[in-house]
Amino acid sequence: MAAATMSIEPFTRSFTQQEPIPEAAIAAAVEVMRSGRLHRYNTIEAEVPAASALERAYADYQGARYCLACASGGTALQLALRACGLAPGERVLTNAFTLAPVPGAIVAAGGRPVLVETTEDLVIDLADLEVKAAGSGARFLLVSHMRGHLVDMDALMALAGRCGLTVIEDCAHTMGAAWRGRKSGNFGRVACFSTQTYKHMNSGEGGLLTTDDAELAARAIVLSGSYMLYERHGAAPPAEVVERIRLETPNNSGRMDNLRAAILLPQLAELDANVARWNTRYRAIEARLARVAALVLPVRPPEELYVGSSIQFRIPGIAPDDARRFVVDARALGVELKWFGAPEPVAFTSTHASWTYLERQALPRTDRVLAGLFDMRIPLTFSVDDCRHIADIIAHCAERLSLEGAA
Ligand SMILES: *Cc1c(COP(=O)(O)O)cnc(C)c1O
């Protein structure tokens, strides 16, 4: 340990520190607070509330016809599943490698998750998906673009067409990303985004749902708790579409308020510039880690425009004790790595085995991948030099590990 810390300068900045909210967003938030009209339907004559303005702006950004602002990404997922017509007890295919709100939303919406294997490049395993689609009889696939990795979307949509699957996209880590020039979220019937602090726009909590399907949008709006005030939405279908379904659709109260929407609007204007900033940082780390023999980086296909707000790498076959020591060594030098192979969930790193409310499902390929999988956040508060420094520390710890493994 002493030798390790002596030979390389520790890193001292926080991995959970995001950038401040832009001044324009702070000013907009103060204005909403001064008005007292925080509830999205609390408007005065001809006023466009921030929640509606955000829906309009995000629909335009995304290139989707309809957008609904929600209380959280998880809420958006639940509303999407319900609005698609998920029946109680129905099976829903989803990635085994995802974050807890995904299976949680399926269960909350009354569904039963059927977990699909993960490839070494961290995307849904299409061969396993095809087998499980046939075996489960599921009508829905909630595909999670976990940690920002996009599966071959052309192949996925072809498979979904063959198997009669309705696709719901979880874009919590792919806001701003694209596949062959088409925005992530515009492939399935409906897409869900998160504006929680650790995602690509920050309102503390928040979610956005987008779709081109008028009836689905209408159902999502009423489900979100529209109190029959759906005409005050910024990117909603015509009122007559909502009128057809409004009385048969329950209120699940999952709205976004004007305060959070006001904070998000100015951030949307900066999103694409921030994507470029993330990717500069990602590539600086990736280039250094690619030179470390022990580390395997996921292959990022040329069709994928990703958002490098986090980075993943694998050390295939690493023993659990070595993985723990690697994380501890990096931590001692100020670098926060998450390891997905730990038997106990740590903060955001729970895995399918921790979701004991699900039916037990054997996922040997995913388990093998997760046993050697490490993950690191890349907040924009890190400079590119910080990223190079961090990558040097990871390389140093990995090299030390293999030296000691060989000894
Ligand atoms: C963050 C996240 C969500 C949504 O989470 P909320 O905290 O409810 O906004 C959904 N899927 C994944 C993969 C996530 O990381």
Side-chain angles (χ1 to χ4, degrees):
M1 189 80 274
T5 41
M6 261 189 298
S7 54
I8 190 161
E9 191 78 15
F11 183 71
T12 53
R13 308 182 66 177
S14 164
F15 280 75
T16 51
Q17 181 60 57
Q18 306 296 40
E19 291 192 299
I21 300 302
E23 286 303 323
I26 293 172
V30 169
E31 203 179 305
V32 169
M33 287 189 283
R34 291 223 163 94
S35 79
R37 295 188 293 280
L38 274 68
H39 194 282
R40 65 168 299 161
Y41 299 130
N42 185 197
T43 55
I44 50 173
E45 214 54 44
E47 180 181 39
V48 177
S52 299
L54 175 68
E55 287 167 342
R56 184 67 264 151
Y58 197 76
D60 291 345
Y61 172 81
Q62 184 65 27
R65 222 171 262 150
Y66 311 115
C67 176
L68 172 68
C70 311
S72 70
T75 303
L77 289 170
Q78 269 193 60
L79 298 179
L81 287 160
R82 289 202 156 104
C84 279
L86 179 71
E90 227 186 319
R91 293 177 190 274
V92 179
L93 296 153
T94 195
N95 306 53
F97 175 48
T98 185
L99 198 75
V102 176
I106 294 171
V107 170
R112 288 157 69 195
V114 175
L115 303 177
V116 180
E117 292 275 28
T118 313
T119 72
E120 283 65 19
D121 291 319
L122 309 180
V123 296
I124 197 163
D125 177 336
L126 294 178
D128 192 48
L129 174 61
E130 186 138 26
V131 169
K132 285 179 176 160
S136 67
R139 295 188 296 148
F140 299 102
L141 165 65
L142 171 41
V143 63
S144 182
H145 306 306
M146 178 65 169
R147 296 330 251 147
H149 296 275
L150 287 172
V151 68
D152 178 335
M153 291 304 295
D154 302 309
L156 179 82
M157 295 315 294
L159 189 161
R162 276 200 307 281
C163 301
L165 293 172
T166 293
V167 177
I168 298 148
E169 292 186 70
D170 167 24
C171 303
H173 303 157
T174 55
M175 178 186 273
W179 178 265
R180 262 192 320 100
R182 186 167 168 192
K183 281 226 166 72
S184 174
N186 291 351
F187 290 83
R189 168 101 37 103
V190 51
C192 301
F193 303 82
S194 171
T195 61
Q196 186 236 80
T197 293
Y198 300 108
K199 311 300 165 85
H200 300 168
M201 296 200 289
N202 177 8
S203 59
E205 302 285 358
L208 293 161
L209 177 156
T210 59
T211 181
D212 284 340
D213 181 321
E215 185 170 313
L216 193 157
R219 287 186 192 279
I221 288 168
V222 178
L223 281 164
S224 79
S226 71
Y227 298 121
M228 303 301 162
L229 297 166
Y230 41 85
E231 293 192 65
R232 294 190 203 167
H233 278 251
E240 60 264 25
V241 183
V242 190
E243 275 150 25
R244 285 207 296 270
I245 56 86
R246 63 180 192 167
L247 300 180
E248 67 189 46
T249 308
N251 176 331
N252 290 169
S253 278
R255 297 168 302 271
M256 183 184 285
D257 57 274
N258 286 332
L259 187 54
R260 282 183 285 170
I263 292 173
L264 290 169
L265 258 170
Q267 293 182 51
L268 182 56
E270 295 178 8
L271 179 57
D272 284 340
N274 283 340
V275 170
R277 293 172 67 215
W278 262 307
N279 289 350
T280 307
R281 286 157 178 74
Y282 181 95
R283 284 172 192 138
I285 298 170
E286 184 188 43
R288 176 69 185 95
L289 298 189
R291 304 206 312 271
V292 183
L295 307 185
V296 182
L297 290 151
V299 174
R300 308 224 72 156
E303 294 89 345
E304 182 194 32
L305 166 66
Y306 56 83
V307 184
S309 54
S310 68
I311 191 164
Q312 294 70 44
F313 58 84
R314 294 185 301 117
I315 307 181
I318 190 171
D321 283 345
D322 288 339
R324 271 184 216 104
R325 196 159 48 93
F326 178 56
V327 170
V328 168
D329 284 359
R331 177 72 261 195
L333 289 164
V335 172
E336 256 182 56
L337 297 177
K338 298 281 169 66
W339 173 48
F340 279 97
E344 287 301 316
V346 183
F348 287 89
T349 4
S350 72
T351 66
H352 72 89
S354 335
W355 308 326
T356 60
Y357 57 85
L358 301 185
E359 299 159 73
R360 283 187 77 89
Q361 301 176 42
L363 294 147
R365 187 176 187 187
T366 300
D367 290 342
R368 217 175 328 110
V369 169
L370 296 185
L373 180 62
F374 299 87
D375 178 276
M376 188 183 78
R377 283 192 177 124
I378 310 178
L380 286 175
T381 47
F382 291 174
S383 68
V384 179
D385 276 344
D386 286 341
C387 291
R388 293 199 187 98
H389 182 187
I390 289 164
D392 282 340
I393 291 173
I394 296 171
H396 172 90
C397 294
E399 275 152 11
R400 208 172 142 251
L401 199 67
S402 23
L403 277 181
E404 288 179 12

